[in-house]
Amino acid sequence: PMIASSSDDARSRFLQEAKASARVNHPNIIDIFDVGETEDNALFLVMELLEGLSLQDAMRSEPPFSVRELLIVLAGAAMALGAAHAAGIIHRDVKPPNIFLARDRNTAFVRTKLLDFGVSKVAIDNDGIATHTGSMLGSPRYMAPEQAVNASQADGRADLWSLGVILFEGIT
């Protein structure tokens, strides 16, 4: 609703960046099936339905994760970020609530899924146009220092910083 009621530029940037995120096809990134706008100007995303829990909830549960289990989860998130970065998308809000442990209904196996590309930055879209937003974006607790200074200048290394903070938090 906030974006829908804001400027036309913010609305078009949301749609453009959501469509770009939807183009990243990777098993560790939530699938976005459709992006659009309704007749009454509401913006929407149609995503896959996931069953499971966030890494944040999993890190608070008992018994705690082993280091090995945490590394497996974060390796999945790192592969997702690698695919996003290869597509020119910087997530900018990597944190435990945005990493989901999805249980497959058929096999009961758990797969890491990276969620919420809502504040992502599309480095270069298909038209060669750089997109950006002009404010501090992300969660300060997990944010790389350079992203806190200027979010539009953050690159993939800022996402890796966030993974490192999560790893430190999970181990300690």
Side-chain angles (χ1 to χ4, degrees), residues 20-38:
S21 296
R23 289 193 312 253
V24 182
N25 184 17
H26 191 274
N28 294 108
I29 295 178
I30 190 166
D31 290 327
I32 300 173
F33 300 119
D34 198 9
V35 176
E37 189 172 359
T38 64

Side-chain angles (χ1 to χ4, degrees), residues 11-139:
R11 293 172 64 80
S12 65
R13 190 168 52 243
F14 170 85
L15 291 170
Q16 179 181 12
E17 293 181 3
K19 288 175 184 174
S21 296
R23 289 193 312 253
V24 182
N25 184 17
H26 191 274
N28 294 108
I29 295 178
I30 190 166
D31 290 327
I32 300 173
F33 300 119
D34 198 9
V35 176
E37 189 172 359
T38 64
E39 290 178 7
D40 61 348
N41 297 324
L43 301 173
F44 67 86
L45 295 173
V46 179
M47 297 182 281
E48 70 178 306
L49 176 63
L50 299 176
E51 293 180 7
L53 70 161
S54 71
L55 178 58
Q56 177 176 339
D57 291 340
M59 288 170 65
R60 293 178 179 165
S61 66
E62 292 293 331
F65 270 147
S66 69
V67 172
R68 181 180 186 277
E69 291 166 328
L70 181 62
L71 288 173
I72 290 168
V73 169
L74 293 183
M79 289 186 287
L81 288 170
H85 295 166
I89 298 169
I90 311 305
H91 191 282
R92 297 197 298 189
D93 197 21
V94 178
K95 59 186 178 183
N98 289 341
I99 298 173
F100 198 81
L101 309 177
R103 183 169 304 280
D104 184 281
R105 291 182 197 127
N106 298 321
T107 65
F109 289 121
V110 173
R111 177 185 302 272
T112 302
K113 289 281 194 170
L114 187 59
L115 313 177
D116 195 358
F117 284 78
V119 296
S120 65
K121 177 177 90 170
V122 179
I124 301 293
D125 67 14
N126 285 341
D127 299 325
I129 299 169
T131 63
H132 58 82
T133 56
S135 59
M136 185 173 108
L137 299 169
S139 299

